[in-house]
Amino acid sequence: MKKTTTRLADGRELIYYDAFDATDRSAVDPRPLDPVATASEIRTDPLLGDAVAIASHRQGRTYHPPADACPLCPSRAGRHTEIPADSYDVVVFENRFPSLAGDHGRCEVVCFTPDHDASFADLTEEQAALVLDAWTDRTAALSQLPGVAQVFCFENRGAEIGVTLGHPHGQIYAYPFTTPRTARMLDSLAAHRAATGRNLFDDVLARERADGRRLVLDGEHWVAFVPYAAHWPYEVHLYPKRRVPDLLALDGAARTEFPQIYLEVLRRFDRIFGPQADPTPYISAWHQAPVHAADRDQFALHLELFTIRRTPGKLKFLAGSESGMNVFINDVPPEAAADRLREVATTP
């Protein structure tokens, strides 16, 4: 992998990740951009303890531009985008409209491919491996920034999810706090260890593999399953079999197998609702140990993938119970979801 760091016209950092060392990345950004102005603020809910980012400047962000005005495509003669080069493998750059900025963290955009009409599932294993390398490299770099407590790599896919740019891309948030969801996992982890002396993540994984009804894929180094208490209609958790706290700690064998397993899961997601259905909207979220957590080696890196679509043409809305009380009601039994994901296998 070749890594090349440069700056956009407004001073934001941009990094090319290339498969070949000979690639020329000397193109510059000629756009007359004003400096990025943000008004990000972190407020704490006194009742729940949740942190909320207030980011009013995001109201002016780019919203569903036509394909020929996409800011994530490579630059062309007469049309300059966020990526100065006329092609790329994987690119990461600072978000021009960040939810977190300055002392309140950092937000980055990850472009998976220059092909505007592709998706992550369309990548080759080599391309997906390069994205994994970029996620890992950015996790390492962002973890070293002063004040960063947690690094979150994720992808939102589909207009139903709220995506405003159709180009295949993800994001990375560097939070100045441990997120509420992760804090709850850490509390459960500590309570289970105090009660049993064992690791909760290890026990969950062992239970799913022993039960087998919710398994989707069981590779040599990774296992994918629908969780016992899945919140979403179709939800898959992907774990390395050797527990590690973050992407940096994955060994070579796990890194090699990941693209095979993950691409297969994504391709099955696109087949859940039949060949005539639109591409399945989803959120794909990496869960990594907080940077400075005590006993962070007890945390288990894992990826959670889920869709808000429950049947063709119908979405799972977060209504009164979910939004008002955070009690999810799932219309699809996890065992049935796993059956469906096994039925739609795309490989022999």
Side-chain angles (χ1 to χ4, degrees):
M1 179 188 74
K2 178 187 178 183
K3 176 182 174 182
T4 306
T5 301
T6 185
R7 293 281 174 180
L8 295 173
D10 54 12
R12 287 176 294 136
E13 185 176 33
L14 179 143
I15 306 166
Y16 295 100
Y17 294 90
D18 289 299
F20 301 104
D21 290 341
T23 308
D24 178 16
R25 294 304 180 202
S26 60
V28 298
D29 182 7
R31 298 174 296 171
L33 298 180
D34 295 327
V36 174
T38 64
S40 181
E41 178 186 356
I42 304 296
R43 298 185 183 181
T44 302
D45 183 322
L47 297 182
L48 300 177
D50 291 351
V52 178
I54 309 297
S56 59
H57 61 277
R58 285 175 52 79
Q59 287 281 36
R61 67 187 184 274
T62 308
Y63 188 81
H64 292 299
D68 60 2
C70 174
L72 306 184
C73 287
S75 288
R76 295 285 187 266
R79 190 175 79 83
H80 298 287
T81 70
E82 290 281 69
I83 297 94
D86 60 5
S87 186
Y88 60 84
D89 291 342
V90 176
V91 171
V92 177
F93 60 88
E94 290 182 75
N95 197 325
R96 186 165 173 79
F97 303 97
S99 302
L100 309 165
D103 295 337
H104 300 300
R106 175 161 159 148
C107 295
E108 298 181 342
V109 177
V110 185
C111 297
F112 304 138
T113 169
D115 185 351
H116 181 85
D117 297 318
S119 70
F120 201 115
D122 295 322
L123 301 183
T124 65
E125 290 182 13
E126 292 76 17
Q127 290 173 310
L130 189 59
V131 175
L132 177 61
D133 287 343
W135 283 331
T136 305
D137 183 72
R138 296 314 300 155
T139 295
L142 294 171
S143 296
Q144 298 301 313
L145 293 181
V148 169
Q150 186 173 355
V151 179
F152 176 46
C153 307
F154 65 100
E155 180 192 0
N156 298 326
R157 192 252 200 143
E160 299 93 329
I161 296 293
V163 174
T164 57
L165 295 176
H167 195 105
H169 72 288
Q171 300 179 66
I172 304 175
Y173 279 17
Y175 295 103
F177 51 81
T178 297
T179 62
R181 186 175 177 86
T182 304
R184 292 184 65 183
M185 289 186 194
L186 292 173
D187 288 344
S188 297
L189 180 65
H192 186 81
R193 189 177 183 187
T196 68
R198 300 192 304 271
N199 182 278
L200 176 59
F201 290 107
D202 293 350
D203 282 0
V204 166
L205 201 57
R207 182 179 73 174
E208 292 294 352
R209 296 188 70 201
D211 184 303
R213 289 177 297 163
R214 292 175 295 277
L215 286 184
V216 177
L217 288 169
D218 194 3
E220 184 176 355
H221 303 285
W222 293 84
V223 60
F225 60 91
V226 178
Y228 172 76
H231 288 54
W232 301 96
Y234 291 91
E235 176 179 346
V236 172
H237 292 191
L238 181 59
Y239 278 74
K241 290 184 176 178
R242 182 179 71 87
R243 173 167 43 88
V244 295
D246 54 31
L247 290 166
L248 281 72
L250 288 173
D251 61 23
R255 298 183 71 82
T256 297
E257 188 182 65
F258 171 76
Q260 305 164 23
I261 299 293
Y262 185 47
L263 289 172
E264 174 62 17
V265 172
L266 289 179
R267 290 162 185 166
R268 292 189 190 191
F269 252 58
D270 272 345
R271 296 164 67 95
I272 292 172
F273 302 105
Q276 304 305 316
D278 293 333
T280 301
Y282 64 73
I283 293 174
S284 176
W286 279 109
H287 291 264
Q288 306 192 77
V291 177
H292 306 295
D295 298 327
R296 69 187 306 272
D297 62 323
Q298 295 296 307
F299 193 88
L301 167 77
H302 62 284
L303 185 147
E304 298 185 5
L305 173 72
F306 61 89
T307 180
I308 62 171
R309 184 180 290 167
R310 54 189 178 89
T311 62
K314 296 180 180 179
L315 301 180
K316 165 65 177 177
F317 291 102
L318 300 190
S321 186
E322 292 89 352
S323 294
M325 284 295 167
N326 200 31
V327 177
F328 276 68
I329 301 169
N330 189 353
D331 299 330
V332 180
E335 293 74 18
D339 283 342
R340 180 59 179 160
L341 286 162
R342 288 191 294 265
E343 290 173 356
V344 294
T346 60
T347 58

